Amino acid sequence: MTRFSTRCRRALAAGTALALVTAAAQAQAPTQGAAPAPATGQTVDQNRLLKADKEEGNWLLHHKNFGAHRYSTLAQINRDTVKNLKVAWTMHLGGIEGGGIWSHGGLEGTPIVENGMMYVTDGWGSVYKIDTRNGAGKLLWKMDPKTDREWAGAVACCGVNNRGVALWGNQVISHTLDGRLIATDKETGQVAWQRQVADPDKGETITGAPLVVHDMAVSGVGGAEYGIRGWIAATDLKSQKEIWRTHTIPGKGEPGIETWKGPNNAEVSGGGSTWVTGSYDPDTDLIIWGVGNPGPDWDNTYRPGDNLYTDSTVALDAKTGAIKWHFQHTPNDPYDYDSVSENLLVDAGGKKMALEADRNGFAYAVDRTNGQFLWATPFVKKVTWTRGINPDTGKPFEYDPTKDVQRYNPAVTPHPENKVADVCPGNMGGKNWPPTAYHPGTGLWYIPVIESCNRITHETMTTASLKPREFFTGGGPTQPFRITGSVTAIDVNTGKVAAKLETPFPLLGGMLATPDLVFTGEPDGRVMALDAKTLAKMWEFNTGGGVNAPPMTFTVDGKQYLAILVGLGGAWDKWFIDSTPELKSIQAGSMLYVFAL
Amino acid sequence: MLKVTLPALAVGLISAVAAAQQPPRPDPGLAVYKKANCVGCHKWHGGGGGGYGGDALSLRHTQLTREQIIETVNCGRPGTGMPFHLRGAYDATKCYDSLRAEMGAQMPPEGTAFLRQSEVEAVATYVAESLKGKGEPTLADCTAFFGDTSRACDLYRKETRDGTPAPQQTTH
């Protein structure tokens, strides 16, 4: 009776036909007694996550492993067999509704798979559990967090996005755009608990997947276009209480506050968001995370100084959140060159490295034990804002530490005397959030590239411009130039570009590496497999949607599958579409594609 | 006779009952404002402002007359991101005395939805009477737009509770 009424309540609360179907499916489950029990009861703990790569057929962590390799050893789909790869099954998901300033949601998530059970999210944060056994997809439950679309959608700069879940214990851990951290029972789909981590009243939203380390969920925040003061926060999954919250902009009396000068108290609204899931280095017990742009984006005169820790990689003590080291890429940034990208953790040439492909067009390697600069390499075809990165200092050649406001190449920099500036890369960067992948056998690191320039119009900000829940950007971009893309492979041993495959559209989805092949997708709908060494195209399939999410791979019933979410949303089709006119015909959609031989 | 009268009566009764139970009818222009995604650039309060998409002009500070607003909604604003909403604009119907071929790079984008003339007039009335010339948005403005189901207006409630002034919203 209790079971029945619980299910009824749940079905009613969800209020959708889908929930009713789900409840019915669950009610029927016991009658399938003959079927082997799914091994989904296995709990997820730190020990298992540390060895995530040993579970060859599973994909337990957002970036596959703590080092963000996105490399799978699965090789049934290989150079010889990939020509036979075809759609195995598909599933329509939801979440395309609009809200706030957004006309529709999109899909940016990486599916998580454990023992044949897949967990994916849509842009509004609904979590779907899908049974992938027996060559078909079967929806077991959907957890709809009932995200407050107007509250969150009005302060989401760049789309209705959610990049996926994490697993811990017997729960699925996820975020919502309106700033919640939610734990859902893996078996029943019922919400176990939730807590508000970010505050949309301050312009804060969450789009990234949580990183689970030491029984904590680590959350990052978006909102540097709305005058937030960024942070990274850790929630104890056992007590559901916050353990630490480290601001990415120092407070009064803290180290780094001297990099915020001038009369505007610019540090209180200095941006520094953290909206891409970071990495974790068990050897040093450091969480390595990227920090976004300073605010206002394009008026660096408002915020004299280097503006730490914006546009930086920071390494936090996992136990306390204390900042152990940092490396800043673009001091006093006037271009919106976030450094939010995930850091790839690899050992090469006797160095323990953290690598990041920055929005500013350069790939950086630093020593991940201390943040010391190792090398930087341009991975885009065109860079105009600087002559290059000084190999001795790791700073742009034009960077002048005696100056509070940097102009870099003044002709392409938006500032009060240069109100319209054409700059390369454009403000979506050489690489945005879509993740890189790494091949440990060859040392190649695959970057999904946006080959771009755009036009920035500068607007001088004052403290009166700073208003709750309103854009605080100091200008804005327009798109008079065509934007294309590439997959660019860098050899981590040499720091040199080893291969480049140019693509007609910017790569908005991200990479997956396997022994023979790398996989990616384009926003015009094509999913493709490339030769891991030469990047020659080996296979292609047009999904008929817009790819805005990374592929992943897993096995179930002994067979390898490739999965990718398809649904163009995000920032592109609202703010950048003029640079890719053909993409105007891509329809809003929400679909999971699963391929097999 | 009977066949005709009875349904008519029944419909009349149902309508009367429904009308008595319904809350005040929402502004039809507000519905068009939402449908045509005006909110996407001008925001819910019409204040527009800068940001990733460049500037959208403030409808609260606009100097346009209702007739000019109708023309702008129908034909868009050449050379800007303000789209046209009249089906056949610049093709079947000239806008600003021009056809598409003459517009070149100044051709405005096509709107999310084409609007019927009654809808264009309704949204122009809404802009002219409910947004134009208004000061900073209030809690009442916010709840009129969103209803009570979203936390989007909490900012105004919070400030009111604290006894501190309502927040200044961008209306430039």
Side-chain angles (χ1 to χ4, degrees):
Chain A
M1 192 60 207
T2 309
R3 276 176 74 87
F4 178 74
S5 53
T6 303
R7 283 198 175 122
C8 265
R9 269 204 307 277
R10 190 176 145 257
L12 287 169
T16 62
L18 175 63
L20 287 166
V21 169
T22 308
Q26 285 180 349
Q28 284 167 3
T31 63
Q32 300 171 342
T40 55
Q42 207 178 347
T43 64
V44 174
D45 58 16
Q46 172 80 354
N47 196 37
R48 228 180 126 195
L49 293 177
L50 284 169
K51 297 174 188 154
D53 279 337
K54 302 274 187 229
E55 299 188 29
E56 199 177 42
N58 286 341
W59 189 287
L60 293 181
L61 281 156
H62 179 62
H63 294 306
K64 183 69 166 66
N65 63 12
F66 278 133
H69 291 189
R70 288 188 180 254
Y71 176 79
S72 169
T73 50
L74 299 177
Q76 289 176 15
I77 303 168
N78 58 40
R79 194 177 285 113
D80 299 323
T81 61
V82 69
K83 60 180 182 289
N84 300 319
L85 192 61
K86 50 182 84 66
V87 174
W89 52 272
T90 61
M91 186 177 289
H92 283 264
L93 305 176
I96 62 166
E97 306 85 355
I101 61 171
W102 296 94
S103 59
H104 65 89
L107 297 180
E108 295 192 349
T110 302
I112 296 291
V113 175
E114 182 198 25
N115 302 340
M117 299 296 154
M118 177 183 285
Y119 305 87
V120 297
T121 58
D122 66 33
W124 288 114
S126 283
V127 180
Y128 304 75
K129 178 177 180 178
I130 300 164
D131 183 348
T132 70
R133 293 172 300 167
N134 306 313
K138 181 176 160 192
L139 183 62
L140 296 183
W141 52 252
K142 173 183 177 182
M143 185 286 288
D144 182 347
K146 300 288 156 65
T147 297
D148 190 328
R149 294 180 187 142
E150 301 296 348
W151 192 38
V155 289
C157 76
C158 300
V160 175
N161 306 323
N162 185 293
R163 300 194 190 85
V165 306
L167 299 180
W168 177 80
N170 59 0
Q171 293 174 335
V172 184
I173 313 297
S174 61
H175 285 134
T176 57
L177 195 66
D178 61 10
R180 285 173 290 160
L181 177 71
I182 299 179
T184 304
D185 184 284
K186 209 154 76 173
E187 298 308 319
T188 66
Q190 308 247 19
V191 171
W193 56 268
Q194 55 181 308
R195 70 177 287 257
Q196 194 78 35
V197 182
D199 183 1
D201 275 357
K202 296 179 182 167
E204 296 175 348
T205 50
I206 303 186
T207 57
L211 176 70
V212 168
V213 174
H214 292 316
D215 303 322
M216 308 180 299
V218 183
S219 307
V221 66
E225 277 64 48
Y226 294 87
I228 70 159
R229 178 181 172 225
W231 44 259
I232 301 164
T235 301
D236 181 357
L237 292 163
K238 291 176 173 160
S239 69
Q240 300 146 31
K241 293 200 168 64
E242 188 160 299
I243 301 177
W244 49 259
R245 180 174 300 229
T246 299
H247 281 92
T248 57
I249 314 281
K252 293 262 181 279
E254 290 176 351
I257 191 66
E258 71 284 358
T259 66
W260 294 86
K261 302 177 187 177
N264 293 326
N265 281 328
E267 68 275 11
V268 302
S269 53
S273 45
T274 53
W275 48 278
V276 172
T277 308
S279 317
Y280 170 67
D281 181 20
D283 294 345
T284 52
D285 203 28
L286 291 175
I287 290 169
I288 299 176
W289 206 285
V291 183
N293 61 281
D297 305 43
W298 296 288
D299 183 12
N300 64 351
T301 311
Y302 182 90
R303 42 178 170 77
D306 281 358
N307 305 148
L308 289 176
Y309 297 94
T310 67
D311 288 3
S312 301
T313 298
V314 293
L316 311 183
D317 183 315
K319 302 281 189 341
T320 65
I323 296 177
K324 291 299 186 184
W325 58 257
H326 74 275
F327 178 82
Q328 189 178 38
H329 306 91
T330 317
N332 189 240
D333 172 15
Y335 311 107
D336 187 21
Y337 285 159
D338 281 63
S339 298
V340 283
S341 282
E342 76 290 350
N343 273 250
L344 172 75
L345 310 184
V346 295
D347 298 344
K351 296 284 187 188
K352 294 167 87 66
M353 300 197 298
L355 298 112
E356 193 248 6
D358 201 85
R359 287 253 286 257
N360 74 13
F362 292 87
Y364 291 80
V366 301
D367 182 327
R368 72 172 179 272
T369 64
N370 56 23
Q372 290 299 305
F373 173 75
L374 297 172
W375 50 259
T377 301
F379 62 85
V380 295
K381 288 193 294 177
K382 193 166 183 187
V383 173
T384 61
W385 67 276
T386 179
R387 280 186 290 124
I389 304 302
N390 185 328
D392 298 325
T393 64
K395 299 296 180 205
F397 279 116
E398 299 83 350
Y399 171 69
D400 183 345
T402 67
K403 287 198 176 131
D404 287 338
V405 177
Q406 305 296 328
R407 289 283 183 258
Y408 298 110
N409 175 359
V412 305
T413 300
H415 56 83
E417 293 79 47
N418 191 36
K419 286 197 169 294
V420 180
D422 294 343
V423 63
C424 319
N427 78 296
M428 277 294 272
K431 175 206 175 267
N432 206 277
W433 70 268
T436 62
Y438 171 69
H439 194 303
T442 61
L444 291 182
W445 176 37
Y446 307 98
I447 305 172
V449 178
I450 303 171
E451 303 280 1
S452 71
C453 308
N454 66 4
R455 178 167 294 163
I456 305 298
T457 303
H458 175 274
E459 185 187 349
T460 298
M461 293 282 103
T462 66
T463 51
S465 319
L466 184 62
K467 305 193 173 150
R469 290 175 59 80
E470 293 290 342
F471 269 128
F472 182 63
T473 56
T478 52
Q479 315 301 331
F481 312 114
R482 174 168 282 277
I483 294 179
T484 63
S486 70
V487 175
T488 299
I490 288 184
D491 184 334
V492 302
N493 296 296
T494 64
K496 304 289 183 223
V497 171
K500 194 177 191 86
L501 174 76
E502 294 204 37
T503 55
F505 296 103
L507 286 197
L508 306 181
M511 308 301 303
L512 161 69
T514 68
D516 275 4
L517 302 166
V518 293
F519 295 87
T520 188
E522 286 207 65
D524 67 341
R526 289 170 301 129
V527 177
M528 62 190 96
L530 312 176
D531 183 282
K533 284 207 179 80
T534 65
L535 299 183
K537 194 177 290 180
M538 306 292 286
W539 171 85
E540 183 176 278
F541 176 85
N542 194 330
T543 60
V547 177
N548 203 180
M552 57 79 67
T553 187
F554 65 96
T555 51
V556 61
D557 306 327
K559 184 169 180 176
Q560 184 183 0
Y561 290 85
L562 176 79
I564 190 165
L565 293 172
V566 177
L568 185 60
W572 202 268
D573 64 0
K574 185 175 178 72
W575 302 134
F576 301 92
I577 196 78
D578 287 343
S579 65
T580 52
E582 295 84 357
L583 297 183
K584 289 180 181 175
S585 66
I586 299 292
Q587 302 300 300
S590 184
M591 184 97 151
L592 167 66
Y593 277 82
V594 178
F595 301 90
L597 294 172
Chain B
M1 222 16 215
L2 202 61
K3 269 182 189 169
V4 176
T5 313
L6 261 185
L9 260 179
V11 168
L13 279 170
I14 288 164
S15 303
V17 170
Q21 287 175 346
Q22 270 172 6
R25 201 159 162 244
D27 187 323
L30 173 57
V32 178
Y33 190 87
K34 290 179 178 175
K35 169 187 169 181
N37 195 33
C38 306
V39 69
C41 299
H42 293 288
K43 318 280 181 62
W44 70 268
H45 48 60
Y52 259 49
D55 269 334
L57 295 185
S58 172
L59 305 176
R60 300 178 88 87
H61 291 173
T62 186
Q63 299 295 315
L64 300 184
T65 64
R66 180 173 173 277
E67 293 311 307
Q68 290 170 320
I69 295 167
I70 287 174
E71 182 175 40
T72 308
V73 174
N74 273 329
C75 295
R77 275 176 78 96
T80 75
M82 173 67 195
F84 68 87
H85 296 84
L86 170 68
R87 190 185 298 275
Y90 301 95
D91 290 326
T93 310
K94 282 191 172 184
C95 266
Y96 307 107
D97 210 25
S98 302
L99 292 174
R100 186 180 293 266
E102 302 160 69
M103 295 304 291
Q106 297 297 300
M107 181 70 197
E110 185 176 296
T112 303
F114 286 135
L115 301 177
R116 296 193 302 275
Q117 278 318 291
S118 60
E119 293 177 306
V120 173
E121 286 169 21
V123 78
T125 301
Y126 174 72
V127 171
E129 293 180 5
S130 300
L131 298 177
K132 181 182 171 182
K134 303 294 180 193
E136 299 298 334
T138 63
L139 174 59
D141 291 341
C142 190
T143 52
F145 193 92
F146 291 112
D148 288 322
T149 57
S150 169
R151 295 181 68 181
C153 302
D154 276 10
L155 196 61
Y156 297 91
R157 295 196 182 88
K158 208 183 278 178
E159 300 291 331
T160 310
R161 263 206 312 277
D162 297 347
T164 46
Q168 299 289 299
Q169 295 287 330
T170 303
T171 55
H172 54 78

